[in-house]
Amino acid sequence: MKISTSILNWFDIVKRDLPFRKNKNPYNIWVSEIMLQQTKVETVIPYYNNWIKKFPDVMSVAKAEEDVLLKSWEGLGYYARCRNFHKAAKILCENFNSKIPQSWNAFIGLPGVGEYTAGAVLSIAFNKPFIVLDGNVKRVMARVIGRRKLSKYNINLIKQTLKKWLDKNRPGDFNEALMELGACICTPKKPKCIGCPINTLCIAYKSGNPLNYPSYIRKKSIPNYTFVGGVIRDKDKVLIQKRNEKMLSGLWEIPNKKINSVKTSKNELENYIIKHYQLSIKIKKKLGVIKHSYSHFNMNLVLFDCIKYSGITKSQKTYKWIKKSEIKDYPFHKVNHKIFSLFKYDYWTI
Ligand code: SF4
């Protein structure tokens, strides 16, 4: 039996019942593929369902405000995916009659669409004969064809092999089946080789130690950074600002900055507020230290309760004074929700 037939037969029986597998709507599949990048299926499902309800098609995304889209994405992380999707939807409405293009070159030319997304959407939604190569597929293939290193040469070999194996009648199903195999059977640390539909063909399994394929690459430890932040109050409102830095761009946060030493945190906060808002504040007390892990650093944020002394005369920041009840109207990055849950004073009333 051909390897693709073995994989597809297995997939037809065991495939998970996922909301984005209910139909082949290219828009729905595109949304799911963007959300699934770097994110677990269980995390994606509620976000996906909510998104499709609020934004059922390309035009609804193109017309939406970025803040509204980011609010629906809040907590899913890697927010550039959402911003790029917004840009891509606008381009589709302007130049493609709101339709998702079926051509590789047109689709991959859209913001945020790389080889993986193009291959996945075009094969699953339009049955086009393109392969996909995500982390799961790389691992499965490295094991099946017995490659220890994911070098450029071996990645190329994997791609060529996939192109040979791709079922030309069911390319989308074949791609989904391989990803499913990687997610459910050929997992990184505990592959279930006995129940694997392709174990008789797998070099790693035959070697007796599939975990050697591909060989483990030690992850770099991520650095710890210290930040200072202020909950700056004006009666029943607090000051929030919109980020325009590359990381987490478009999301809202309480004013904060990275610092070198906790000892100077109060001064650094006061100087930051004066520099960006020309606003005098009085630091009342330390509220605590909030810990949060981002993908490439750990954050320790020293948080102060502050009240404003003067009004903001000039600021280059996009900012708002909001009531507690307005938190739901703005997309915040995660650490801010930890801050808000810590800050439960009566004077910040709903
Ligand atoms: S036999 Fe084991 S190592 Fe090989 S593809 Fe299947 S689960 Fe992965």
Side-chain angles (χ1 to χ4, degrees), residues 144-178:
V144 178
I145 67 171
R147 296 285 135 176
R148 287 193 181 214
K149 284 190 183 149
L150 290 175
S151 59
K152 208 172 162 189
Y153 175 84
N154 283 339
I155 291 289
N156 199 33
L157 187 69
I158 286 172
K159 282 185 182 172
Q160 297 315 317
T161 311
L162 276 174
K163 282 178 189 167
K164 268 190 240 157
W165 289 355
L166 185 74
D167 188 298
K168 302 296 181 293
N169 295 317
R170 299 176 62 192
D173 287 345
F174 175 79
N175 287 332
E176 280 198 89
L178 263 186

Side-chain angles (χ1 to χ4, degrees), residues 139-141 143-144 181 185-187 191-206 210-211 213:
R139 183 178 59 258
V140 172
M141 290 301 292
R143 287 174 176 173
V144 178
L181 192 68
I185 300 285
C186 192
T187 54
K192 303 176 189 86
C193 298
I194 302 296
C196 176
I198 50 173
N199 56 13
T200 54
L201 303 159
C202 178
I203 291 176
Y205 178 50
K206 285 180 194 163
L211 294 185
Y213 299 83

